[in-house]
Amino acid sequence: MKFGVQVNCYRQTWKGIRTSIETMEAGRWNSLWFADHFVPPPGPREDEPLTAFEGYTLIAVAAGMTKRLKLGHLVLGNTYRNPALLAKMATTLDHASEGRFTLALGAGWFRREHEAYGWDFPTMKERQDRFQEACELIRMLFTADGPVDYNGQYYKLDQAPLSPGCYQKPHIPIMVGGTGERRTLRTLAMHGDIMNLDGWAGQGMSIEVFRHKVNVLKQHCEDVGREPGEIKLTALMPLQITDDKEKAQEFIRRLGSGSMAGPRNYLVDRIGEFIAEGIDEIMFGAIPTGDVEAFQQVEEEIVAVFP
């Protein structure tokens, strides 16, 4: 069983982020992830001047600081970067990290940062249409033997080469962020390699929710002629170990029903349910950035239980 951490990069210092990376590299962790926002989400306007480190730059720096951790984002927003440029950035990082990078992409949702930086924020339908095109285009670039033509409604390529290509074979894994049942999971079935149940997104972190989303994905795979077993299953799970019932309830109230909090044995049992359902990796969130003891507690009390 594999475990990672989404290290918080908002309202933080670089020293704290660096300490988290170094602690993870020295431990049992499999993967390191950052989010991708430009003002701290989804907070009040008075929080906007607080730090928000740019996610792709961070993961590139982390690649140079580490030798074994897998690297990625939860998740990159499609509205921020041209997808062909993103494919080029991905293969560059894939080579520099010697095959440790996962390209994780979502449709984009945070209106305020688009307003702040002067970017268009299309309708939900257009964002989903753009996202589907972007995933298709990127997969074509990752898997093509030569230059790629693409003529979509929003994106176009004219004999675009991708050199270097992917370091990983057959190609860099593509995580499709989100579990919207009508569009997002269908895009995953068509063009992605990894599903992620996002505990920050307000969905309940229950085995019933996870099982339902996987069944929806399986139906989409059947519809598009894809083998469901080709797609890995993951979850981002904000987590707190505590024997204090009121503290656990406050954590879940503050961070949402996608969070897990409680005694160590309770959390181990809950994680075991997901493992029994075939999950490949769990990424923990809400471990205090730069807090070495907090990272080590989760590693020793949770990660070490699942060899």
Side-chain angles (χ1 to χ4, degrees):
M1 179 61 191
K2 297 184 288 293
F3 294 94
V5 176
Q6 183 190 49
V7 173
N8 185 15
C9 53
Y10 312 124
R11 308 174 182 90
Q12 306 296 330
T13 65
W14 165 244
K15 180 180 178 181
I17 295 170
R18 182 187 65 206
T19 298
S20 299
I21 297 169
E22 292 170 345
T23 301
M24 291 182 64
E25 174 74 358
R28 298 178 177 90
W29 302 101
N30 178 68
S31 61
L32 165 69
W33 307 80
F34 292 109
D36 182 38
H37 292 292
F38 297 83
V39 297
R45 291 288 285 269
E46 56 265 29
D47 277 7
E48 289 184 6
L50 300 178
T51 54
F53 288 91
E54 197 278 322
Y56 206 102
T57 308
L58 278 180
I59 215 72
V61 172
M65 294 174 59
T66 58
K67 295 296 184 183
R68 60 171 201 84
L69 286 171
K70 302 288 186 180
L71 306 163
H73 300 88
L74 293 169
V75 292
L76 297 167
N78 182 55
T79 49
Y80 307 136
R81 304 168 187 87
N82 175 279
L85 170 62
L86 186 61
K88 187 73 172 177
M89 295 164 66
T91 56
T92 298
L93 188 51
D94 196 38
H95 279 263
S97 67
E98 297 184 328
R100 293 184 287 132
F101 182 61
T102 293
L103 179 60
L105 192 62
W109 63 271
F110 191 18
R111 177 188 291 272
R112 173 56 198 149
E113 62 193 347
H114 292 76
E115 296 171 346
Y117 285 90
W119 300 322
D120 290 339
F121 187 70
T123 64
M124 172 69 81
K125 180 183 184 306
E126 182 176 329
R127 279 181 282 133
Q128 286 291 344
D129 291 342
R130 285 178 175 270
F131 180 48
Q132 183 173 316
E133 279 194 18
C135 291
E136 180 180 41
L137 179 156
I138 290 168
R139 194 175 189 90
M140 288 176 64
L141 284 167
F142 280 179
T143 58
D145 294 328
V148 171
D149 289 313
Y150 187 83
N151 188 27
Q153 182 177 356
Y154 301 103
Y155 306 112
K156 300 182 188 301
L157 299 178
D158 180 5
Q159 285 292 285
L162 188 64
S163 182
C166 298
Y167 182 94
Q168 297 175 72
K169 302 303 177 187
H171 59 79
I172 298 168
I174 300 171
M175 176 188 287
V176 172
T179 51
E181 295 180 15
R182 190 172 67 88
R183 293 295 307 275
T184 305
L185 288 178
R186 187 171 184 85
T187 296
L188 170 58
M190 296 167 67
H191 307 301
D193 305 294
I194 305 172
M195 182 189 107
N196 184 258
L197 179 65
D198 181 2
W200 296 115
Q203 303 173 100
M205 189 56 69
S206 70
I207 200 63
E208 290 78 18
V209 169
F210 181 72
R211 188 181 295 128
H212 172 70
K213 298 294 184 180
V214 171
N215 286 336
V216 172
L217 174 61
K218 287 178 178 178
Q219 184 59 59
H220 283 306
C221 286
E222 182 177 337
D223 292 343
V224 302
R226 184 87 182 273
E227 172 54 52
E230 297 176 6
I231 299 174
K232 293 184 177 180
L233 308 175
T234 69
L236 169 58
M237 186 182 296
L239 178 130
Q240 183 182 66
I241 305 171
T242 178
D243 292 325
D244 186 325
K245 185 175 181 180
E246 291 186 3
K247 189 175 181 180
Q249 290 174 342
E250 169 60 20
F251 181 85
I252 294 171
R253 185 199 64 77
R254 181 168 52 88
L255 298 185
S257 61
S259 306
M260 282 196 188
R264 177 250 191 196
N265 288 345
Y266 165 77
L267 297 173
V268 167
D269 289 344
R270 291 291 306 279
I271 290 167
E273 294 177 345
F274 285 84
I275 294 173
E277 288 293 319
I279 202 166
D280 292 280
E281 183 163 10
I282 293 174
M283 301 80 159
F284 295 127
I287 302 176
T289 300
D291 188 334
V292 174
E293 290 184 359
F295 275 81
Q296 291 177 340
Q297 180 190 20
V298 177
E299 181 183 341
E300 292 167 4
E301 296 190 21
I302 304 293
V303 175
V305 175
F306 304 98

